[in-house]
Amino acid sequence: MANINFINGHNLRVLSLKNSDIWSCKGSFVGVINVEYFDMSGWTCENLSVDLLYGFPNLQTLKASGSRLGKGFVNIAGAGSFLSKNLRLQDINLSSNKMNSLPNGFFLHPFEQLSTVNMSHNNLTVFPKFHESIKALKVIDLTFNSLTYFNAEQIERIQRLGEVDLFLRGNPFQCSCKTLQFLEWLGQTNRLPDISDLTCVTETASRRFMSDIISNLKTFEISCKTKFWLPFAVSITSIIIFAIILTVVFFRYKYAVEYFLLRLKMKMQNYKELKQEYTYDAFISHSHTDSEWVKQFHDRVNSMGFELCLDAKDFIVGNGIAENVMNAIDSSRKVIFIITHDFLKSTWGSYEMEMTRMHAFQKGREDMVIVVVKDDIKVTDMPDILKRMWFKITCIQWPNDVNLPYNTKEIFYEKMKMALTKKEETFIYSRNSVI
């Protein structure tokens, strides 16, 4: 269709070109400004001009059914202005145009006389937006589209239109907990003359009449709340149970967790583990209340040619105690636990024993532990940590009055020397002793 100029067409009121073989709608009309009724149904408007109807400023009725406007609107820019010059429109028929959506702003013009809009047999999924001045609208036909429900914003737009009747049958509405607000609105509104014909698909994929759902809406709402609260309660319960299990596991294996966290921290700090060579022959783990005795013990063993790690002189200032303990264990061939009554009450004593046990288990050094029993303490009174690895421990009793003369300080330190001596040195020592 080219641009059409009517001569002496000012008295023309009705122009019907229905089912004409129009395969392109890129033209426009001139000279027919008083046309009130225009029918372009059946055209092929995949190629469309936005100013096709600009020549009809007094148009009241537009029939454009089955004109393929859906594709035409997509193919042109500014399609929302298609009706911007036809502000006296009263009746618009855009049915069967394969429209998935309306162009932005399509009805956002002040059509003060607009009363009927037919958009049936399309693929619309959203209720269209209308200008605030449109108050005369009486009928909106949205039958046989793709509407599933109206959200709160769309319902509010409908409310602002005044007394308008909506025809909605033939749409694939959903009756689910998600659309509960829409269902409540349907039960309250009186704007749906065809509500008895509306059907919906439930969450169980069954088709029901909308009126049946609405009449039992309270029951439906309760079922929705149950569906929400039951999974919610199960989720909360699961989280609580998981938290309890996690807490129990953490406190049961807190030293193991801390051990591996320290290992990870040291690895991230580019810490390199010692291979065969150790900085110290032994790390002394003790209670601070025994510091005076431990100092004498350290000096005596040190005088025998052994390098011992002691917290008071070897821990690095600025590092955490846990990190210093781990470094001391890593840097020592042996760990000596000075077992006293005060040590057994010490929190850090338990910590150092657990760290040593974890290290010995991971590195295959179960024989690295030396226990010096200074006070009169029975094996049955020892911590469970030591009991579990007792068969691998070297245990040396400090000489008390009760076990003299079978044990003396000289014998005690001779045993300590043998326990701290490396295996190859022990073999030479034993052979020389035989000689």
Side-chain angles (χ1 to χ4, degrees), residues 358-377:
M358 290 297 302
H359 179 84
F361 175 78
Q362 187 192 38
K363 304 297 181 182
R365 298 177 57 201
E366 289 87 350
D367 59 348
M368 70 183 293
V369 179
I370 299 174
V371 172
V372 173
V373 183
K374 181 177 178 295
D375 292 347
D376 185 16
I377 300 172

Side-chain angles (χ1 to χ4, degrees), residues 154-167:
Q154 295 173 56
I155 291 173
E156 186 179 352
R157 291 206 296 263
I158 296 170
Q159 298 293 107
R160 288 200 298 262
L161 288 176
E163 299 297 326
V164 60
D165 288 336
L166 298 179
F167 291 87

